[in-house]
Amino acid sequence: MKIIKKQDAELYAAMQSELYRQSENLELIASENFVSNAVLEAVGSVLTNKYAEGYPYRWSKKTDKINYKLYGRYYGGCEYIDKVEELAIERAKEIYGCEHANVQPHSGSQANMAAYFAIIKPGDTILSLELSHGGHLTHGHPLSFSGSLFNIVPYGVNKDTEQFDYDEIRRIAKEVKPQMILTGASAYPRKIDFKKFREIADEVGAKFIVDMAHIAGLVAAGVHESPIPYADIVTTTTHKTLRGPRGGMILCKEEYAKAVDRWVFPGTQGGPLMHVIAGKAAAFKEALTPEFIGYQKQVVANAAALAKALNEKDFNLVSSGTDNHLMLLNLGTEEEGGPSGKKMEGSLDKAGITANKNTVPFDTRKPFVASGIRLGTPAVTTRGMKEAQMIQIAEFISQVHKNFKDEEKLASIKNEVREFCAQFPLYTNILEENK
Ligand SMILES: *Cc1c(COP(=O)(O)O)cnc(C)c1O
């Protein structure tokens, strides 16, 4: 940040503070991670200058297949960025073993929009996971394009198990006969049975989309079952467990490839962010290494260790635990007197621990207040933390919970957290450069 430092003190101060915040705090937001220096380099590169509407290929009129020898861009000078996009596409296909990959979506939400349009029309019915039970805004919230253009029928988790009840999902599907069934979640701590969803979709003649935004890294490493064999289309973000730059991606079977490409560009987007696509290519190369598989296994082992330690401290975990990288603490109802999710999020912040409030299934508080806290292990695992550190993190969280109104105590925990984090250095090269 040498140049920004010289010419823009205000911007530099904010960016410098963020660098320190990331390095000195415990990052437990389940959807966040720390990218490699290779990804940072790609995203900060001159590729941001290039316009490249279109694709590095065209469909051959003769065979109706993709032909990389045909020019598919609307601008000149794309010969090098074509290579960048081809690398990202080929690596994505290799990671997931899928027939087609579109790496252009600017975000997970953009990926979902293009994917829905590729297989259904406005007014059609989507059966999807309720937001307050772990779903995502783009799965049908009235304030999202999804809720305003499509007829949404939600499914939730079972009240006793707090897990998917496939018989109940089948019952609703048979009743409403949706054109599309959607699964995937932002806050569901358990494995998802994609095969069962496929069977239900087939029984009612629906298309089936999986949004694996949260678990894409786990799937890449074989730590969670892959949706690729079962779903018509799979959408994802690239910046959560997958540990790439902020962005989206769509994977699909050959038969949907053309529709997906058209609905990304020109359907819902203009020029692709080529610097971000370079970052995706860099991250995908990393995702193909044995180290990445080890990392994802550790993410899940750490989540299991953190859940166990929190259970032992008498926290109430939604569905009693986790199979993946995240968990939800149910802090109880207002009558029970503990902090709300919002209050606990604020207290954690004061103690140097970053997490987010989240609704729990059948929450009695408003979503902006909520009764839960969502915790994830991807970011702390990237820093090198293991099971022993998860036990310490559970201790910090328990201390914050017991002292959630005590400003002094929270400040003293913050000091401990900073020392704890200093044992797991992050971005030392960038810190060094910006001292
Ligand atoms: C994060 C997330 C998205 C959207 O990602 P953005 O990049 O923020 O648009 C979509 N679906 C699910 C399930 C997510 O968790």
Side-chain angles (χ1 to χ4, degrees):
M1 297 191 281
K2 282 186 206 124
I3 295 159
I4 295 176
K5 185 177 184 178
K6 225 186 251 167
Q7 69 186 33
D8 191 341
E10 280 171 294
L11 179 60
Y12 180 74
M15 290 177 71
Q16 172 85 337
S17 301
E18 174 60 12
L19 173 63
Y20 277 88
R21 190 194 65 80
Q22 291 187 16
S23 114
E24 292 175 357
N25 287 266
L26 256 183
E27 183 53 73
L28 294 173
I29 292 182
S31 51
E32 293 188 15
N33 214 327
F34 301 117
V35 299
S36 68
N37 283 304
V39 172
L40 285 180
E41 208 171 82
V43 174
S45 71
V46 296
L47 274 67
T48 192
N49 297 328
K50 190 72 198 95
Y51 239 117
E53 283 179 344
Y55 292 98
Y57 51 76
R58 254 187 19 225
W59 260 268
S60 149
K61 285 218 173 69
K62 257 190 270 155
T63 61
D64 206 35
K65 289 224 181 329
I66 284 174
N67 186 341
Y68 276 99
K69 297 209 177 80
L70 297 175
Y71 198 64
R73 302 286 192 188
Y74 290 76
Y75 288 84
C78 289
E79 61 266 46
Y80 306 115
I81 56 105
D82 278 352
K83 183 69 193 166
V84 169
E85 189 164 342
E86 282 168 32
L87 282 173
I89 292 169
E90 285 315 310
R91 289 171 185 172
K93 284 162 69 176
E94 191 180 341
I95 294 170
Y96 293 104
C98 57
E99 291 174 6
H100 182 72
N102 186 309
V103 296
Q104 291 192 3
H106 301 331
S107 72
S109 299
Q110 296 291 114
N112 281 345
M113 191 176 207
Y116 304 170
F117 278 128
I119 52 171
I120 56 170
K121 301 182 302 301
D124 282 353
T125 298
I126 301 177
L127 177 62
S128 61
L129 178 60
E130 167 97 44
L131 179 66
S132 65
H133 288 214
H136 188 261
L137 283 166
T138 55
H139 294 191
H141 192 278
L143 293 176
S144 144
F145 77 90
S146 53
S148 52
L149 292 178
F150 302 99
N151 174 39
I152 305 294
V153 178
Y155 59 86
V157 296
N158 177 279
K159 201 157 185 172
D160 299 321
T161 63
E162 297 178 317
Q163 301 192 33
F164 289 170
D165 174 345
Y166 295 93
D167 292 335
E168 176 63 8
I169 296 168
R170 175 180 285 107
R171 188 193 66 72
I172 305 172
K174 284 191 163 160
E175 192 182 303
V176 302
K177 301 235 173 342
Q179 278 73 37
M180 183 184 119
I181 296 178
L182 176 60
T183 196
S186 298
Y188 184 66
R190 294 297 180 174
K191 286 196 171 127
I192 300 178
D193 191 337
F194 300 123
K195 185 162 180 267
K196 282 221 178 93
F197 269 106
R198 176 80 256 176
E199 286 164 10
I200 296 168
D202 287 342
E203 280 173 46
V204 300
K207 299 277 196 246
F208 176 39
I209 292 195
V210 174
D211 175 353
M212 64 168 180
H214 259 263
I215 56 169
L218 276 54
V219 170
V223 180
H224 188 293
E225 184 188 33
S226 172
I228 298 291
Y230 305 108
D232 294 300
I233 301 181
V234 175
T235 61
T236 186
T237 57
T238 49
H239 50 275
K240 297 179 182 173
T241 50
L242 191 50
R243 207 164 62 181
R246 190 154 294 280
M249 173 163 71
I250 305 178
L251 310 172
C252 67
K253 301 198 187 304
E254 186 81 50
E255 77 178 285
Y256 303 107
K258 211 167 173 178
V260 161
D261 280 4
R262 279 189 182 163
W263 275 108
V264 172
F265 173 83
T268 54
Q269 292 190 170
L273 312 175
M274 288 314 307
H275 56 309
V276 178
I277 291 175
K280 289 171 185 171
F284 296 166
K285 180 158 176 123
E286 292 165 7
L288 285 162
T289 60
E291 289 75 22
F292 189 79
I293 295 174
Y295 162 67
Q296 297 294 345
K297 284 186 176 157
Q298 191 66 50
V299 165
V300 173
N302 281 352
L306 183 58
K308 180 166 177 279
L310 289 165
N311 262 326
E312 283 165 5
K313 293 197 175 294
D314 292 333
F315 278 106
N316 181 5
L317 269 66
V318 170
S319 82
S320 311
T322 177
D323 299 325
N324 57 25
H325 63 297
L326 69 82
M327 66 212 70
L328 283 165
L329 297 184
N330 186 341
L331 303 170
T333 60
E334 204 156 356
E335 295 70 45
E336 287 169 295
S340 64
K342 183 169 182 239
K343 183 76 201 163
M344 184 70 181
E345 178 189 301
S347 299
L348 285 166
D349 242 334
K350 287 174 187 162
I353 301 172
T354 315
N356 64 284
K357 64 176 175 283
N358 212 102
T359 51
V360 296
F362 311 99
D363 209 319
T364 51
R365 289 188 177 96
K366 291 200 181 86
F368 198 69
V369 181
S371 302
I373 284 285
R374 187 181 66 162
L375 302 170
T377 55
V380 290
T381 307
T382 294
R383 291 188 82 143
M385 294 184 190
K386 300 222 157 68
E387 287 88 339
Q389 283 75 43
M390 298 306 118
I391 293 167
Q392 178 60 54
I393 292 174
E395 179 59 34
F396 284 139
I397 293 170
S398 169
Q399 286 297 320
V400 170
H401 188 245
K402 283 188 191 129
N403 301 285
F404 75 94
K405 289 178 185 161
D406 185 341
E407 303 283 330
E408 235 170 82
K409 179 71 187 168
L410 295 175
S412 100
I413 300 172
K414 188 178 174 118
N415 283 330
E416 284 180 57
V417 166
R418 183 182 299 146
E419 278 170 33
F420 177 74
C421 287
Q423 297 164 39
F424 299 87
L426 181 72
Y427 296 134
T428 40
N429 55 327
I430 307 175
L431 283 164
E432 195 56 41
E433 201 185 286
N434 287 280
K435 266 207 180 121

